[in-house]
Amino acid sequence: MSTLIDQLRAIVGAAHVLTRDDGNDLSAWEQDWRKRAHGHALAVVRPGSTDEVSAVVRACAAAGHSMVPQGGNTGLVVGSVPDDSGHQVVLSLTRLNQVRAIDGANLTMTVEAGCILQTLQETAQKAGFLFPLSLAAEGSCTIGGNLATNAGGTQVVRYGNARDLCLGLEVVTAQGEVWQGLGGLRKDNTGYDLRDLFVGSEGTLGIITAATMKLYPLPAAQLTAWAAVPSLEAAVALLGLAHRHLGAGLTGFEVMGQFALGLVDRHMPQLRVPLWADHPYCVLLENSDSESEAHARTQFEHLLESAFEDGIVSDAVVAESLQQAHQLWHIRESIPLAQAEEGLNIKHDISIPVSLIPAFCAETDALLQREIPGVRLVNFGHLGDGNLHYNVQAPTHGDPATFLREQEARVNTLVFDQVHRFGGSISAEHGVGSLKADKLVQYKDPVALGLMRSIKQALDPHNILNPGRVLA
Ligand SMILES: Cc1cc2nc3c(=O)[nH]c(=O)nc-3n(C[C@H](O)[C@H](O)[C@H](O)COP(=O)(O)OP(=O)(O)OC[C@H]3O[C@@H](n4cnc5c(N)ncnc54)[C@H](O)[C@@H]3O)c2cc1C
């Protein structure tokens, strides 16, 4: 009888089945991006077509080996790497990397799951369209991973998250069947929405092999402004004003706390962070305009004039060139890296109704500082859609590793209890993975959790797709 490895080699070709026994270093597939987990895979399998994915799933299921789907392995919640049993198969989708079709009249693009996000943005642009999903990992994350995690990023305030951009999916089920759900329909009320079931399911319900995604017309101009604000309340007021002045042109609204920007200034002085030293918060705004750059600039000027009059902006700069705009965005995107340079930290990717964010931060900052004197709060995020990266850095004195070991559980409880109290979510855009699976049991509505378990049982009764992720 042939072994599973032999069968996998017969399906995808020997070159695309990697094992440690053959002398391969599997650490790129076994270790997560944040280096919080390093598992051991039986093999890494790299199918090159949907039919091959289907055959791999059937073979693994028949042999009783569970699978971990993987795209770019940039996920932040330990969902894309194997456990340490040495029994799981990593199913890497990166060879499924074709753009199958662009339909300009329908404003859609049908792409395979392993396409790199940045490649899709560039492909759309070359065809004269905008594909607006955008996040700092776009150079290595895949659209399959984006859909499996329902990724958000910087443009959600205008275009929504990955779910909102998806019109159809092709999925290999846990039984190895292929659901052909591609199609560019914006209206289709023929029963349960299976697409929405698979989007955000983090590889636990099916393997996404292709997707039909929405495109938009390219804007005539995109302008970026950087504004210093006197408080978080002012930042929220500025968001309201920006909605009124810019309408659908408001495509980005990020907030950055002074300590977060101070870390960028300390670890990446060459980036020259503007206006941070004398203001508690700065805001990055993007205005995408369908008319012209001059129109976009006038709109921004009117917005900032009103904001100065209302006292909700203390100082501001509008980027003079695309290069300057990129520099400003680069500062924002460098905060996680600067934080990593500063040392180990505890990350929270939370969402709160925008109106409650100032009160949430004031209370939670005070609570943490009272309970754990000296903790440093790195607060930044996509304020436009209510998503904060509310991170906690170890005090300057003492060893950060010891701080994490001794305080992480307590810090998480303090923060998540507050999020719950404010009607928020403990995972806004990164997902659950295995890192937050136990927290879901604590904070998710019990009826919702029961329904989720029923869905998992119905679609994957033998628990062969990414077991232990999302549902503990
Ligand atoms: C520097 C940095 C910045 C980031 N910024 C953001 C941000 O702004 N917004 C945001 O939302 N996220 C962000 N992330 C997180 C991460 O990039 C996203 O979660 C991304 O969507 C993951 O894509 P991936 O291809 O790397 O997926 P992976 O990490 O490989 O997988 C993520 C999950 O999806 C599953 N999966 C992957 N591919 C498939 C598939 N084809 N079918 C079924 N399941 C699959 C995996 O099993 C796993 O559970 C950031 C990460 C980094 C490193």
Side-chain angles (χ1 to χ4, degrees), residues 33 68-76 79-80 93 113 135-137 141-142 144-146 148-149 151-153 202-203 206-208 382 429-430 466:
W33 194 85
V68 182
Q70 191 181 95
N73 198 16
T74 67
L76 299 176
S80 53
L93 279 305
L135 42 136
C141 65
T142 63
N146 300 148
T149 58
E202 301 183 46
I207 317 257
I208 297 168
H382 317 299
E429 61 175 8
H430 294 162
N466 224 358

Side-chain angles (χ1 to χ4, degrees), residues 153-463:
T154 56
Q155 306 270 301
V156 175
V157 64
R158 162 70 178 92
Y159 300 102
N161 45 24
R163 182 190 305 283
D164 299 304
L165 293 168
C166 179
L167 291 174
L169 288 180
E170 179 186 89
V171 174
V172 173
T173 68
Q175 294 69 37
E177 290 177 316
V178 180
W179 170 50
Q180 282 296 350
L182 294 172
L185 301 182
R186 284 169 171 80
K187 287 186 157 184
D188 177 15
N189 283 351
T190 52
Y192 308 141
D193 197 329
L194 299 177
R195 174 200 56 190
D196 271 355
L197 212 51
F198 291 110
V199 174
S201 67
E202 301 183 46
T204 62
L205 298 181
I207 317 257
I208 297 168
T209 50
T212 303
M213 306 299 297
K214 288 182 194 169
L215 295 173
Y216 289 83
L218 273 174
Q222 258 177 336
L223 274 195
T224 300
W226 181 285
V229 294
S231 64
L232 257 185
E233 284 83 354
V236 171
L238 179 62
L239 174 64
L241 203 62
H243 275 305
R244 284 200 293 284
H245 276 260
L246 307 179
L250 180 66
T251 48
F253 195 98
E254 301 284 310
V255 73
M256 298 154 287
Q258 189 176 40
F259 182 68
L261 290 173
L263 291 182
V264 179
D265 185 69
R266 182 180 314 159
H267 296 287
M268 296 152 185
Q270 72 282 7
L271 294 185
R272 293 197 301 200
V273 184
L275 308 181
W276 71 278
D278 301 320
H279 306 279
Y281 287 93
C282 287
V283 168
L284 192 57
L285 304 96
E286 188 182 75
N287 180 19
S288 298
D289 194 283
S290 57
E291 277 187 47
S292 65
E293 185 175 327
H295 185 252
R297 205 166 280 280
T298 309
Q299 275 191 317
F300 250 165
E301 281 164 9
H302 289 161
L303 164 65
L304 291 172
E305 271 166 28
S306 294
F308 277 118
E309 273 169 27
D310 294 352
I312 55 177
V313 161
S314 318
D315 205 348
V317 287
V318 179
E320 288 299 328
S321 64
L322 211 56
Q323 194 200 356
Q324 256 183 30
H326 284 153
Q327 274 168 5
L328 295 176
W329 277 101
H330 188 46
I331 292 169
R332 157 65 185 87
E333 281 160 7
S334 299
I335 295 174
L337 298 174
Q339 227 193 311
E341 289 285 314
E342 182 73 5
L344 292 171
N345 55 80
I346 305 168
K347 292 192 194 302
H348 305 106
D349 160 46
I350 56 174
S351 59
I352 308 278
V354 172
S355 47
L356 300 181
I357 281 180
F360 168 84
C361 288
E363 271 192 29
T364 314
D365 290 3
L367 176 71
L368 285 168
Q369 268 147 5
R370 200 168 56 239
E371 293 291 319
I372 311 168
V375 285
R376 297 170 299 158
L377 300 170
V378 186
N379 191 356
F380 63 99
H382 317 299
L383 185 68
D385 57 60
N387 180 186
L388 285 184
H389 298 306
Y390 188 85
N391 300 338
V392 179
Q393 198 95 33
T396 37
H397 59 270
D399 170 38
T402 310
F403 170 78
L404 230 65
R405 211 172 36 252
E406 290 176 354
Q407 300 287 3
E408 183 166 15
R410 185 155 163 244
V411 168
N412 286 342
T413 301
L414 289 171
V415 173
F416 290 150
D417 280 358
Q418 281 287 96
V419 169
H420 195 58
R421 213 164 67 71
F422 276 82
S425 166
I426 62 161
S427 178
E429 61 175 8
H430 294 162
V432 178
S434 40
L435 210 56
K436 291 187 187 160
D438 61 331
K439 296 286 173 223
L440 209 64
V441 179
Q442 222 175 319
Y443 295 104
K444 189 90 182 170
D445 173 86
V447 176
L449 206 58
L451 290 169
M452 284 167 64
R453 289 193 202 287
S454 304
I455 291 167
K456 172 72 174 171
Q457 175 64 24
L459 268 61
D460 181 20
H462 303 297
N463 204 17

